[in-house]
Amino acid sequence: MILILGGTGEARELAARVPAISSLAGRVSAPRLPAGEVRVGGFGGVDGLTQWLRDNDIHAVVDATHPFARQITANAFEACGRAGVPFLILRRPGFTPQEGWLWVDSVTEAARHLPGSRVFLTTGRQDLAEFAACPQWFLARMVEPPEPPMPQRIEVLLSRGPFTVDGELELMRSREIDVLVTKDSGGSMTSAKLEAAAQLGVPVVIVRRPPLPPAEVVPTVEDVLRWPGLAGTGRSGLLG
């Protein structure tokens, strides 16, 4: 059996094409569920995941988590090494860099480099506390309601992509946005905001992806399906 980590679009696509158990972190109350068997919640760190892999006869692990889910990727890499299970990272390509983007290494650094007064913040609710002391006005878009601490001057917009360029243009104009803060998550579901920012001449502060462990990395589901580590996992005939 294959274990797929993550609730990304790529993870759901892969789960629809191979027999697998999909593992979701459980941070969203109503996630988009993949096909097949699904488990929700953590494993109990590296030790817990190592034992779970052994107990459930897992023959391969594909990490298709969000590009910023650093801890689970590190834990999975180590657990697979201990358990002797083949491990592959599926990561969609990042956004194509544009001239004028301000690249930073962390959300903390982004909060220290805000070249505007009305901020469109799309880094997620877990990072909102990093901006709590900032004096700027924020439009913060996320899937689930946030918990304090958060900036004093804030409008929270609960929404889930995909988003359109026209919609992002209207949103940014109506809120008079003069800086966009986001992560290099890649993909098409959230890229429209970058095009809208470019059209409006709005500066972009973008957080670089965290480093990956020294594992094999592929960019697409098709690459996963060609991975030798899936040999013998019962995937034959399911690749249409």
Side-chain angles (χ1 to χ4, degrees):
M1 180 63 74
I2 302 163
L3 174 64
I4 301 172
L5 300 173
T8 59
E10 293 86 359
R12 293 192 297 273
E13 181 183 348
L14 181 61
R17 301 182 67 180
V18 297
I21 301 173
S22 295
S23 178
L24 308 182
R27 296 194 180 105
V28 178
S29 59
R32 295 171 176 167
L33 295 178
E37 185 177 347
V38 179
R39 69 173 302 280
V40 178
F43 291 94
V46 175
D47 291 341
L49 179 53
T50 302
Q51 191 60 51
W52 192 92
L53 294 174
R54 291 168 175 161
D55 292 344
N56 289 271
D57 197 27
I58 299 299
H59 295 94
V61 174
V62 178
D63 178 352
T65 55
H66 190 275
F68 285 81
R70 181 174 185 172
Q71 191 60 58
I72 183 58
T73 297
N75 288 353
F77 174 72
E78 185 171 346
C80 286
R82 292 184 186 181
V85 174
F87 178 67
L88 182 69
I89 298 174
L90 170 59
R91 284 290 183 276
R92 69 179 80 110
F95 295 127
T96 302
Q98 302 296 318
E99 184 178 355
W101 285 4
L102 174 60
W103 289 88
V104 295
D105 291 324
S106 67
V107 174
T108 301
E109 186 179 352
R112 294 198 301 261
H113 296 86
L114 293 176
S117 61
R118 296 182 64 83
V119 183
F120 185 16
L121 183 63
T122 64
T123 58
R125 64 189 176 103
Q126 291 182 310
D127 296 313
L128 200 54
E130 298 288 349
F131 300 88
C134 294
Q136 288 89 349
W137 180 89
F138 288 85
L139 171 65
R141 185 169 64 195
M142 56 201 68
V143 176
E144 297 276 332
E147 297 180 357
M150 65 182 72
Q152 291 187 352
R153 303 170 62 208
I154 187 170
E155 176 187 347
V156 174
L157 178 61
L158 300 181
S159 185
R160 191 198 301 259
F163 304 104
T164 66
V165 174
D166 287 344
E168 300 290 60
L169 285 168
E170 180 181 356
L171 180 65
M172 295 170 74
R173 284 176 176 142
S174 68
R175 303 315 197 275
E176 299 180 327
I177 297 299
D178 59 12
V179 59
L180 167 66
V181 180
T182 192
K183 292 177 175 178
D184 185 21
S185 56
S188 59
M189 286 187 62
T190 60
S191 62
K193 62 194 173 191
L194 297 169
E195 175 60 30
Q199 290 189 29
L200 296 173
V202 171
V204 176
V205 179
I206 186 163
V207 182
R208 292 185 180 91
R209 294 181 176 190
L212 292 172
E216 184 178 356
V217 183
V218 297
T220 70
V221 170
E222 295 300 327
D223 292 317
V224 176
L225 297 176
R226 292 189 288 267
W227 179 45
L230 293 191
T233 58
R235 68 189 182 98
S236 300
L238 297 176
L239 307 187

